[in-house]
Amino acid sequence: MKAAGPLAAAASAPARQGGARRLVDRVARVRELGIVAALAVLFGVTGAANPSFLSYGSIRDILLNSAIIALLAVGQTLVVVTRNVDLSVSSVVGLSAFGGALVLADRPGVPVPLVIAGCVLLGAACGAVNGLLVGVAGVPALVATLGTLYAFRGVDYAWAGGRQVNAADMPEGFLTLGTRSVLGVPLPALVALAVLLAVGWMLRNLRSGRELYAIGSSPEAAVLAGIRVRRRVLTAFVASGALAGLAGVMWAARFGTVDATVATGKELDVIAAVVVGGVAIFGGSGSVYGAALGALLLASITSALAVLRVDALAQTAVNGALLLAAIVLDRLLALRVAAALRRGRFRDDR
């Protein structure tokens, strides 16, 4: 006999919500496993065509090339799950990279940890500007961060004044941070991994992390539930900016030569990594693990196509096709999840 009445509906609501959460988590795991499978196929096929692709040097380069994008993708995920986007991350990377390099070049006695902390704070300040515009002033994130993308880059150009900081101008100890390895793993990749694990744990286990997903699922419902939406959105943008500041330090240490054009256009690579990694562009679902795997997949594809001597324009086309495929897959999965929830298939999933 079926239960009826408002009391029965209220009693069954937690079970339905728990089942829905498990269904969404299952879909996310499938997406992440799909990326892992794609990486395995990519390495297998490319390695068979050119064994040098599987060499330690090649894999090390892939890890180095993906570390910065993965770090930015982690920060971008925090923003995207709230149903927003941060287009200014590349300009924040450029601003912090040039600022840190300039301080190290002009003031050799300044401790490197202090410079790193200063770059992270600079990035957090830029993120706070975005957060105030979006979370407090209510400006659409796409418009606000597109404006700050150009504003921060303009500040960078004005600050640089046409100057370029070269590797010879910076301390050797700082430059080794971009190339040093620990047990064969590049240090930038380890930094990105540490940030990934910390943010992933926060999103899954802390109330503040779960509230970000609630905001992305339904901002209006989040307000009614008593969530401080403005504060959470501001915090997400500040965290994204801080990680962009850290990425700027890693960029300067990795490449050595820094000017006002650093990381121009990289915001598109970051968004592509996030979307390919299964983070819903309309918010509410996805994980930082998927976003990092997306960054690794895109870096691996670029390296594989270069090894196979595919034209650079073709590489861009492949990345674009992959992004479109990810968007279509997200839409199909969203429709299937919605249909399953409507039919109540998850009610007995305990």
Side-chain angles (χ1 to χ4, degrees), residues 92-106:
V92 177
V93 170
L95 189 61
S96 59
F98 183 80
L102 187 65
V103 170
L104 289 169
D106 291 348

Side-chain angles (χ1 to χ4, degrees), residues 5-162:
L7 291 178
S12 63
R16 290 199 300 271
Q17 292 171 358
R21 182 71 260 173
R22 287 192 292 272
L23 180 59
V24 172
D25 288 343
R26 190 182 306 125
V27 170
R29 286 195 295 270
V30 169
R31 284 295 304 273
E32 291 164 9
L33 289 174
I35 298 175
V36 172
L39 281 167
V41 171
L42 175 67
F43 275 84
V45 172
T46 309
N50 189 336
S52 65
F53 182 71
L54 300 178
S55 66
Y56 168 74
S58 176
I59 294 176
R60 182 176 181 275
D61 287 341
I62 290 173
L63 290 176
L64 283 171
N65 293 335
S66 62
I68 293 176
I69 299 299
L71 188 63
L72 293 171
V74 169
Q76 188 74 233
T77 299
L78 295 174
V79 174
V80 172
V81 295
T82 66
R83 203 178 289 191
N84 291 294
V85 68
D86 186 358
L87 296 177
S88 69
V89 288
S90 61
S91 296
V92 177
V93 170
L95 189 61
S96 59
F98 183 80
L102 187 65
V103 170
L104 289 169
D106 291 348
R107 302 178 182 277
V110 177
V112 170
L114 183 61
V115 173
I116 295 174
C119 290
V120 172
L121 289 175
L122 176 60
C126 294
V129 173
N130 288 329
L132 290 172
L133 288 172
V134 177
V136 179
V139 180
L142 185 65
V143 176
T145 59
L146 182 62
T148 54
L149 180 151
Y150 290 112
F152 296 153
R153 185 66 67 179
V155 172
D156 196 6
Y157 273 104
W159 191 3

Side-chain angles (χ1 to χ4, degrees), residues 35-317:
I35 298 175
V36 172
L39 281 167
V41 171
L42 175 67
F43 275 84
V45 172
T46 309
N50 189 336
S52 65
F53 182 71
L54 300 178
S55 66
Y56 168 74
S58 176
I59 294 176
R60 182 176 181 275
D61 287 341
I62 290 173
L63 290 176
L64 283 171
N65 293 335
S66 62
I68 293 176
I69 299 299
L71 188 63
L72 293 171
V74 169
Q76 188 74 233
T77 299
L78 295 174
V79 174
V80 172
V81 295
T82 66
R83 203 178 289 191
N84 291 294
V85 68
D86 186 358
L87 296 177
S88 69
V89 288
S90 61
S91 296
V92 177
V93 170
L95 189 61
S96 59
F98 183 80
L102 187 65
V103 170
L104 289 169
D106 291 348
R107 302 178 182 277
V110 177
V112 170
L114 183 61
V115 173
I116 295 174
C119 290
V120 172
L121 289 175
L122 176 60
C126 294
V129 173
N130 288 329
L132 290 172
L133 288 172
V134 177
V136 179
V139 180
L142 185 65
V143 176
T145 59
L146 182 62
T148 54
L149 180 151
Y150 290 112
F152 296 153
R153 185 66 67 179
V155 172
D156 196 6
Y157 273 104
W159 191 3
R163 179 177 175 181
Q164 182 181 70
V165 180
N166 299 311
D169 302 324
M170 291 182 280
E172 184 65 27
F174 173 73
L175 295 174
T176 57
L177 295 178
T179 55
R180 181 182 301 169
S181 296
V182 178
L183 300 177
V185 181
L187 184 58
L190 291 176
V191 171
L193 178 61
V195 171
L196 170 67
L197 294 176
V199 175
W201 181 88
M202 181 273 293
L203 285 175
R204 189 166 187 84
N205 295 284
L206 297 186
R207 177 180 176 181
S208 57
R210 295 191 297 271
E211 287 180 348
L212 295 180
Y213 286 103
I215 293 169
S217 297
S218 177
E220 297 80 9
V223 172
L224 293 176
I227 297 175
R228 297 180 177 179
V229 174
R230 292 182 176 181
R231 176 180 295 184
R232 293 298 180 217
V233 171
L234 173 61
T235 301
F237 275 102
V238 169
S240 177
L243 291 179
L246 179 59
V249 175
M250 292 171 57
W251 185 293
R254 169 85 170 89
F255 297 103
T257 301
V258 180
D259 57 22
T261 65
V262 162
T264 299
K266 288 298 180 181
E267 69 278 355
L268 300 180
D269 292 342
V270 175
I271 294 173
V274 169
V275 174
V276 169
V279 181
I281 197 66
F282 296 110
S285 66
S287 73
V288 290
Y289 306 111
L293 285 172
L296 181 60
L297 178 61
L298 292 178
S300 300
I301 289 174
T302 300
S303 296
L305 294 178
V307 166
L308 298 176
R309 298 185 180 180
V310 176
D311 183 77
L313 293 177
Q315 296 179 25
T316 304

